[in-house]
Amino acid sequence: PGSSGGGGAGRLRGGLELGAHWHQPLKEETKMNAEPEKKFGVVVVGVGRAGSVRIRDLRNPQPSSAFLNLIGFVSRRDLGSIDEVQQISLEDALSSQEVEVAYICSESTSHEDYIRKFLNAGKHVLVEYPMTLSLAAAQELWELAEQKGKVLHEEHIELLMEEFAFLKKEVVGKELLKGSLLFTAGPLEKERFGFPAFSGISRLTWLVSLFGELSLVSATLEERKEDQYMKMTVHLETENKCPLSWIEEKGPGLKRNRYLSFHFKSGSLENVPNVGVNKNIFLKDQNIFVQKLLGQFSEKELAAEKKRILHCLSLAEEIQKYCLPKK
């Protein structure tokens, strides 16, 4: 390909430097009125909240769903079928010629194993964040995807939210002095979702996407297991040495909420106004995935996205080491 990235790849500009996000729906040229020449057979692994939404989106007539054919779902529970979609065994999903794509929507601790199995079986993979609970595993899986010539896509619906679009506009061109982001929610099982820096990686992704690469200054974890309470406090700084703090606080009675405060040279931003409902964020993510399957992202865009994801995973791992020093 020429220097423009060639073919479809060159068309999806809009920069994917650290911090860019995609709001555009599928490009017009992808919305073929005729049936697409090729449909990718899809299996959904895990049918919790994310998996159920994925199945719904795959069954609805959407531009990107026209390129996908839902073959079945895999679950550890014996469910038989959901809305006429058949349950199939993991073995059948891996060996079936029909299945070309796996959506991994299981709990975080199982992501790495599933991604490896499906890539080794020659399937493309879409995985809910965090793709793994260690940096080394993510790097290894990305190498495996490249060897196999398959798309490995980590979902980041938090970058497709209206709040993030609002923040992105607000922050652009402003000089940060300091900032903080606090997230509160009910208790979460660490056994299934990993250390809080990983289960909360979408908050970290926000900060990195807004302010560029960050470095860790310090991190602490306060835990009262008997009360199901946990508070992780992380101090980060931007490349210009501006302090950013990120706090995850979880416990009974805590409502799901984000509190943020960013101070700029030109004024302050305290919390995000109500900017409307986040419509179809999983579907927007699926559109991005289909564009990747169709080769419509340039190498540069894919490299910038991968760099951001690995940077966030590496920070999450550093935070975990800081909070859980070796005994």
Side-chain angles (χ1 to χ4, degrees), residues 179-247:
S180 68
L181 173 57
L182 159 66
F183 180 77
T184 60
L188 191 65
E189 298 165 60
K190 226 198 277 184
E191 293 65 43
R192 295 176 60 207
F193 297 98
F195 187 76
F198 285 98
S199 60
I201 204 159
S202 69
R203 264 74 68 190
L204 193 52
T205 303
W206 262 28
L207 293 175
V208 167
S209 299
L210 291 170
F211 302 113
E213 296 206 345
L214 304 172
S215 47
L216 179 62
V217 177
S218 66
T220 55
L221 180 69
E222 177 195 340
E223 250 184 321
R224 295 196 302 277
K225 287 208 167 72
E226 65 284 1
D227 300 333
Q228 290 186 290
Y229 175 83
M230 133 5 248
K231 183 177 183 181
M232 178 184 74
T233 306
V234 180
H235 294 288
L236 301 153
E237 62 181 24
T238 65
E239 289 179 328
N240 297 336
K241 303 281 183 242
C242 296
L244 277 174
S245 62
W246 165 37
I247 299 163

Side-chain angles (χ1 to χ4, degrees), residues 30-47:
T30 313
K31 290 185 189 165
M32 302 175 192
N33 299 327
E35 280 290 288
E37 284 168 34
K38 172 166 176 48
K39 283 192 175 207
F40 294 87
V42 181
V43 65
V44 174
V45 180
V47 285

Side-chain angles (χ1 to χ4, degrees), residues 11-280:
R11 291 193 284 258
L12 259 178
R13 289 287 164 255
L16 199 150
E17 296 314 311
L18 271 174
H21 65 299
W22 312 272
H23 238 28
Q24 65 265 65
L26 270 179
K27 290 286 169 209
E28 288 306 316
E29 66 238 43
T30 313
K31 290 185 189 165
M32 302 175 192
N33 299 327
E35 280 290 288
E37 284 168 34
K38 172 166 176 48
K39 283 192 175 207
F40 294 87
V42 181
V43 65
V44 174
V45 180
V47 285
R49 190 181 73 91
S52 304
V53 175
R54 294 292 189 183
I55 287 175
R56 184 198 70 199
D57 287 345
L58 282 160
R59 298 185 75 220
N60 285 352
Q62 305 288 353
S64 58
S65 304
F67 291 86
L68 303 164
N69 173 31
L70 177 57
I71 286 169
F73 68 88
V74 173
S75 175
R76 281 197 293 259
R77 293 172 291 164
D78 192 10
L79 299 169
S81 69
I82 299 174
D83 295 334
E84 298 167 19
V85 181
Q86 291 306 307
Q87 179 165 359
I88 58 178
S89 70
L90 176 61
E91 291 66 34
D92 286 350
L94 290 166
S95 62
S96 164
Q97 295 293 303
E98 261 188 294
V99 174
E100 296 164 273
V101 169
Y103 282 15
I104 314 281
C105 310
S106 53
E107 62 271 14
S108 311
T109 43
S110 65
H111 287 180
E112 181 187 336
D113 184 45
Y114 280 132
I115 297 171
R116 185 172 280 110
K117 284 190 165 107
F118 280 100
L119 285 177
N120 275 323
K123 321 289 187 194
H124 300 284
V125 173
L126 174 153
V127 60
E128 307 299 335
Y129 71 75
M131 67 192 264
T132 60
L133 299 177
S134 86
L135 176 64
Q139 286 168 321
E140 185 193 325
L141 292 172
W142 235 306
E143 278 166 27
L144 179 60
E146 279 164 21
Q147 279 164 21
K148 298 277 182 186
K150 296 298 161 191
V151 172
L152 172 54
H153 169 77
E154 184 186 31
E155 163 269 297
H156 279 286
I157 51 169
E158 75 280 16
L159 298 181
L160 304 169
M161 290 175 150
E162 298 301 329
E163 294 94 324
F164 182 76
F166 169 84
L167 278 180
K168 195 79 188 133
K169 279 199 206 79
E170 283 296 305
V171 162
V172 107
K174 291 184 182 166
E175 197 177 330
L176 181 72
L177 299 175
K178 62 174 184 173
S180 68
L181 173 57
L182 159 66
F183 180 77
T184 60
L188 191 65
E189 298 165 60
K190 226 198 277 184
E191 293 65 43
R192 295 176 60 207
F193 297 98
F195 187 76
F198 285 98
S199 60
I201 204 159
S202 69
R203 264 74 68 190
L204 193 52
T205 303
W206 262 28
L207 293 175
V208 167
S209 299
L210 291 170
F211 302 113
E213 296 206 345
L214 304 172
S215 47
L216 179 62
V217 177
S218 66
T220 55
L221 180 69
E222 177 195 340
E223 250 184 321
R224 295 196 302 277
K225 287 208 167 72
E226 65 284 1
D227 300 333
Q228 290 186 290
Y229 175 83
M230 133 5 248
K231 183 177 183 181
M232 178 184 74
T233 306
V234 180
H235 294 288
L236 301 153
E237 62 181 24
T238 65
E239 289 179 328
N240 297 336
K241 303 281 183 242
C242 296
L244 277 174
S245 62
W246 165 37
I247 299 163
E248 293 276 305
E249 189 174 16
K250 299 204 167 128
L254 285 176
K255 295 235 182 317
R256 261 187 91 82
N257 229 324
R258 257 191 222 93
Y259 305 91
L260 53 86
S261 158
F262 297 138
H263 297 277
F264 303 98
K265 266 197 169 157
S266 55
S268 295
L269 177 66
E270 300 281 343
N271 292 318
V272 176
N274 193 343
V275 287
V277 184
N278 290 307
K279 284 198 201 71
N280 294 333

